[in-house]
């Protein structure tokens, strides 16, 4: 399946809506205002005025829709030579010009909630599409934007999401595992999963660096797939859109689990591990007990001890 994305103005977006068949507006992903099927192709129009067509002849269907609406676009996607390479020095590998698998994680610095790890495959062609959709360093995006973006890119890029819930996290901590070991095992497995999903050869596997290569290989509990193609990059989200995509999906999964914890706990909680988190944890202990708290948190964080001290005051 191929994908085609068009950047539209407000006026052009309205014209597109007028020529397309009636959309079923129920259960649309966040940020989506229209979705339908045309000749076996999925046509999606986003609130951001991006039009995406998915299917074997996506470009042909796209041109037909634009023509019917009387729209002429001189450029649908940024020229690959004009795309900013994320301010990477010329000596660095320009990963977005290659077929890459990128991996990243979310939740490792949060007391509440699981650790989520994602590896994603992004081809050279899809790298351009992801840029049009607005994929970037997830640290610069709010949760609402993360959810909207993730639901746009999840259907179009092969990926693997692994979730280490709090109970399993705490069990591994008891076994003497460090967070670095947990990450290495999860990253390595997610990358293997993605390699099993794709048929085309990969040029690079790039990991958002949380440990030097030797430490990663020591902890990964298995062979490193395509070791000669594997790279480790600090601030990887700004250097490879495959990492940025994985970061967005990982954070999306973390946000969804976080929302479920709030629903079940019946109390508002905060991301991170600051003083506000201590107070929230203390409230949960009073309401549900310490055993319950341990099922939704990382026990090795100092927040647990601080919350217990707050109760004793």
């Amino acid at each position: 399946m191929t994908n085609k994305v068009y950047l539209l103005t407000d006026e052009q977006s309205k014209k597109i809506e007028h020529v397309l068949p009636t959309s079923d507006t129920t259960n649309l992903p966040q940020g989506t205002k229209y979705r339908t099927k045309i000749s076996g192709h999925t046509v999606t129009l986003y609130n951001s005025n991006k039009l995406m067509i998915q299917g074997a002849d996506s470009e042909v269907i796209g041109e037909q829709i634009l023509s019917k609406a009387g729209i002429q676009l001189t450029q649908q996607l940024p020229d690959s030579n004009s795309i900013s390479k994320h301010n990477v020095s010329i000596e660095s590998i320009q990963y977005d010009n290659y077929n890459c698998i990128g991996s990243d994680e979310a939740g490792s610095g949060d007391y509440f909630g699981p650790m989520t790890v994602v590896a994603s495959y992004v081809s050279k062609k899809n790298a351009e599409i992801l840029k049009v959709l607005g994929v970037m360093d997830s640290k610069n995006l709010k949760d609402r934007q993360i959810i909207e973006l993730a639901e746009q890119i999840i259907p179009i890029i092969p990926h693997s999401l692994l979730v280490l819930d709090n109970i399993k996290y705490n069990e591994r901590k008891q076994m003497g595992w460090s967070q670095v070991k947990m990450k290495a095992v999860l990253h390595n497995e997610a990358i293997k999963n993605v390699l099993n999903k794709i048929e085309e050869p990969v040029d690079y596997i790039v990991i958002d660096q949380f440990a030097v290569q030797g430490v990663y290989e020591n902890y990964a509990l298995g062979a490193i797939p395509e070791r000669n193609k594997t790279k480790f990059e600090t601030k990887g989200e700004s250097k490879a859109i495959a990492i940025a995509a994985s970061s967005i999906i990982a954070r999306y999964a973390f946000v969804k689990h976080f929302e479920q914890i709030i629903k079940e706990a019946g109390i508002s909680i905060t991301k991170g591990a600051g003083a506000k988190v201590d107070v929230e944890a203390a409230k949960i202990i009073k309401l549900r007990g310490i055993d319950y708290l341990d099922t939704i948190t990382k026990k090795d964080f100092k927040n647990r001890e601080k919350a217990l001290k707050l109760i004793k005051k």
Side-chain angles (χ1 to χ4, degrees), residues 76-310:
Q76 290 82 46
L77 290 171
D79 181 71
S80 59
N81 294 321
S82 65
I83 294 173
S84 166
K85 300 303 179 186
H86 305 288
N87 299 319
V88 182
S89 66
I90 196 164
E91 292 84 8
S92 300
I93 298 170
Q94 306 299 315
Y95 293 108
D96 298 350
N97 292 335
Y98 298 92
N99 297 329
C100 287
I101 290 175
S103 65
D104 203 357
E105 78 282 332
S108 61
D110 298 274
Y111 177 55
F112 290 105
M115 186 187 299
T116 56
V117 174
V118 173
S120 302
Y121 171 69
V122 178
S123 65
K124 289 182 287 185
K125 184 173 182 180
N126 276 350
E128 294 185 344
I129 291 173
L130 295 189
K131 288 171 187 175
V132 173
L133 289 174
V135 172
M136 63 178 73
D137 190 334
S138 70
K139 297 180 184 66
N140 298 324
L141 300 172
K142 296 180 179 178
D143 284 353
R144 178 187 57 79
Q145 296 170 301
I146 289 289
I147 293 170
E148 187 172 318
L149 264 176
E151 292 181 350
Q152 291 176 29
I153 68 175
I154 283 172
I156 67 173
I157 57 171
H159 66 280
S160 172
L161 164 66
L162 299 178
V163 179
L164 186 66
D165 64 33
N166 294 104
I167 293 174
K168 291 178 182 176
Y169 174 97
N170 293 332
E171 286 174 353
R172 278 152 184 75
K173 268 292 178 177
Q174 253 188 328
M175 293 164 58
W177 286 33
S178 66
Q179 266 205 10
V180 172
K181 182 170 184 175
M182 294 181 205
K183 290 179 185 180
V185 171
L186 292 169
H187 276 256
N188 206 44
E189 287 305 309
I191 290 166
K192 289 179 184 177
N193 292 343
V194 174
L195 284 168
N196 288 332
K197 289 182 178 183
I198 61 177
E199 296 180 357
E200 54 266 55
V202 173
D203 296 312
Y204 289 104
I205 295 171
V206 55
I207 299 168
D208 192 49
Q209 184 169 314
F210 53 86
V212 296
Q213 184 170 352
V215 172
Y216 176 91
E217 291 181 354
N218 184 52
Y219 281 149
L221 294 183
I224 309 301
E226 303 282 5
R227 185 178 182 276
N228 61 321
K229 297 179 180 180
T230 300
K231 305 292 180 182
F232 296 80
E233 294 284 357
T234 56
K235 299 181 179 178
E237 290 178 79
S238 63
K239 297 175 183 176
I241 203 160
I243 291 181
S246 291
S247 175
I248 286 170
I249 298 172
R251 190 170 150 195
Y252 168 79
F254 176 78
V255 167
K256 288 297 183 181
H257 281 277
F258 204 84
E259 289 174 348
Q260 187 61 32
I261 290 172
I262 293 173
K263 184 178 179 181
E264 291 177 358
I267 184 172
S268 178
I269 55 174
T270 306
K271 297 182 184 70
K276 191 175 180 182
V277 172
D278 303 337
V279 175
E280 293 162 351
K283 288 181 180 177
I284 290 174
I285 294 172
K286 289 180 179 178
L287 287 171
R288 305 286 294 272
I290 187 68
D291 289 342
Y292 172 76
L293 178 71
D294 289 341
T295 66
I296 59 172
T297 59
K298 302 174 181 73
K299 286 177 66 174
D300 60 315
F301 279 41
K302 293 181 179 179
N303 303 90
R304 186 179 191 272
E305 183 182 342
K306 292 176 181 177
L308 289 169
K309 286 181 179 179
L310 286 173

Side-chain angles (χ1 to χ4, degrees), residues 1-2 36-43 53-58 61:
M1 183 173 70
T2 61
T36 194
K37 289 277 189 180
I38 297 178
S39 301
H41 292 66
T42 301
V43 178
I53 297 93
Q54 298 168 267
D57 297 311
S58 57
I61 297 297

